Amino acid sequence: MKKTLSLVLALAMCLSLAACGNNGTQDQSSQSGSNTSASDVSSGSQQGDNSSVDAADSDWAKIESNGTMKIGITYFEPMNYFDDNGELTGFETEFATAVCEKLGVTPEFVEINWDSKIMELQAQTIDCIWNGMTITPELQEALTISDPYIKNYQVVVIRSDNADVYTSTADLVGKTVEAEAGSAGEAAIIGEGADESLKQAEYISAAKQTDTLLEVKTGAADAAVLDFVLAGAMVGQGDYSDLMIIPDLQLSVEEYGVGFRKDSDAAEKVNEAMQALIEDGTLNTLAEKYDLAELLLANQ
């Protein structure tokens, strides 16, 4: 009887140990499967996160997602200005609108301080600078710039009654000369490669190019250095009928481009739309409308 009981107990113990062994194997297999699954999910999630980061870093993805391109401008004819009906118009206004239409987004024009244009981009308050921006080595280093589209040069504006007094930059040595802060006009006065005579003038910076014209008109400045594109559209007529451009004086030949944040992928999109507008004749039509056809690079 005792022997029989002992055999039964031994057999029961063996069966129990075998069951525990099987359970351990099943638990380990289950845990291993669980770890593999977690690893896959983690990897997939990480890859998804990276894709999200890439998309978040893409200027064009943000613009496309918002459905709006925020365009930094200042107001001056013939680029961006208000017509008699109070509507924003101008070559750059219509050009940017046509590009945005090609890209399927809406333009939103934002007035900026020209001297702070790079900071505005970096702060992402705007997506681009589209306002007769002269391409310079300094801006090329700080920004990604579109293909150039308009030729420009700097001119000197004086009062018409001083036509015989100021006939060259040499006559402006020691005189008061103004330009917009951060502009190509300023560079022509105090920048690297500036005109030697203008370097010896008394330089004053202004917030806007149009402000420099007002200063010359009132006599607060003897001359102003600014874009031919603006001066040609405003000087000698209307409020500035008593001003003139010094004849046969070109300080520098430049090109305009659209400025974007460094390495922005939005520049490529704009270049593609710009090329399409050149090929279908839209850009030339706009240039003719604003008397800029002779300066359009596509026509050179």
Side-chain angles (χ1 to χ4, degrees):
M1 183 72 176
K2 288 182 180 180
K3 288 182 180 180
T4 302
L5 182 59
S6 297
L7 288 172
V8 170
L9 290 173
L11 180 60
M13 186 175 293
C14 289
L15 291 173
S16 175
L17 288 173
C20 288
N22 287 337
N23 286 338
T25 302
Q26 289 174 354
D27 289 345
Q28 187 175 3
S29 174
S30 175
Q31 186 176 6
S32 175
S34 176
N35 285 343
T36 301
S37 176
S39 175
D40 289 343
V41 170
S42 175
S43 175
S45 175
Q46 188 173 7
Q47 290 174 0
D49 289 344
N50 286 339
S51 298
S52 297
V53 169
D54 290 343
D57 287 343
S58 166
D59 276 358
W60 174 245
K62 291 179 182 178
I63 293 170
E64 191 173 34
S65 175
N66 293 333
T68 303
M69 180 181 289
K70 294 184 178 180
I71 301 169
I73 64 170
T74 60
Y75 300 123
F76 71 93
E77 293 187 47
M79 295 311 198
N80 301 284
Y81 63 97
F82 293 98
D83 62 18
D84 294 338
N85 297 320
E87 297 292 329
L88 183 63
T89 189
F91 174 77
E92 298 284 44
T93 304
E94 292 202 50
F95 181 19
T97 299
V99 165
C100 286
E101 184 176 352
K102 288 281 188 185
L103 297 177
V105 296
T106 302
E108 179 183 337
F109 297 97
V110 180
E111 184 179 17
I112 61 172
N113 182 320
W114 193 249
D115 198 31
S116 305
K117 55 187 175 293
I118 295 177
M119 288 186 287
E120 294 278 5
L121 274 178
Q122 292 173 340
Q124 299 192 27
T125 56
I126 56 174
D127 298 311
C128 64
I129 304 163
W130 203 327
N131 188 225
M133 188 188 77
T134 297
I135 300 172
T136 65
E138 293 76 17
L139 288 177
Q140 286 177 314
E141 183 176 343
L143 308 174
T144 290
I145 302 177
S146 74
D147 294 336
Y149 53 90
I150 285 282
K151 181 177 74 174
N152 183 46
Y153 50 90
Q154 297 300 301
V155 295
V156 180
V157 173
I158 59 174
R159 289 184 297 280
S160 300
D161 57 11
N162 283 330
D164 297 331
V165 180
Y166 306 126
T167 60
S168 69
T169 56
D171 298 322
L172 293 169
V173 173
K175 303 300 181 181
T176 302
V177 180
E178 285 206 19
E180 180 183 48
S183 69
E186 181 180 72
I189 302 170
I190 62 173
E192 184 178 348
D195 182 270
E196 289 301 322
S197 295
L198 292 179
K199 283 182 180 179
Q200 301 174 62
E202 180 184 345
Y203 172 62
I204 300 175
S205 66
K208 301 176 182 178
Q209 292 194 84
T210 49
D211 289 347
T212 69
L213 294 179
L214 184 60
E215 294 288 274
V216 174
K217 178 181 176 64
T218 61
D222 296 304
V225 179
L226 63 157
D227 293 350
F228 168 73
V229 168
L230 182 151
M234 300 185 70
V235 169
Q237 55 187 317
D239 292 338
Y240 303 108
S241 60
D242 52 350
L243 302 184
M244 63 173 284
I245 298 171
I246 295 180
D248 305 318
L249 179 59
Q250 297 182 14
L251 296 182
S252 59
V253 178
E254 308 146 352
E255 295 177 339
Y256 284 168
V258 183
F260 298 86
R261 281 179 283 278
K262 194 66 176 177
D263 300 322
S264 172
D265 57 347
E268 183 180 354
K269 293 290 185 179
V270 167
N271 282 338
E272 292 172 358
M274 187 187 303
Q275 186 59 39
L277 293 174
I278 291 172
E279 293 174 357
D280 67 17
T282 299
L283 192 55
N284 184 65
T285 299
L286 289 177
E288 289 179 342
K289 178 179 179 179
Y290 293 98
D291 297 322
L292 297 173
E294 291 183 3
L295 300 176
L296 193 67
L297 290 176
N299 293 337
Q300 302 300 308

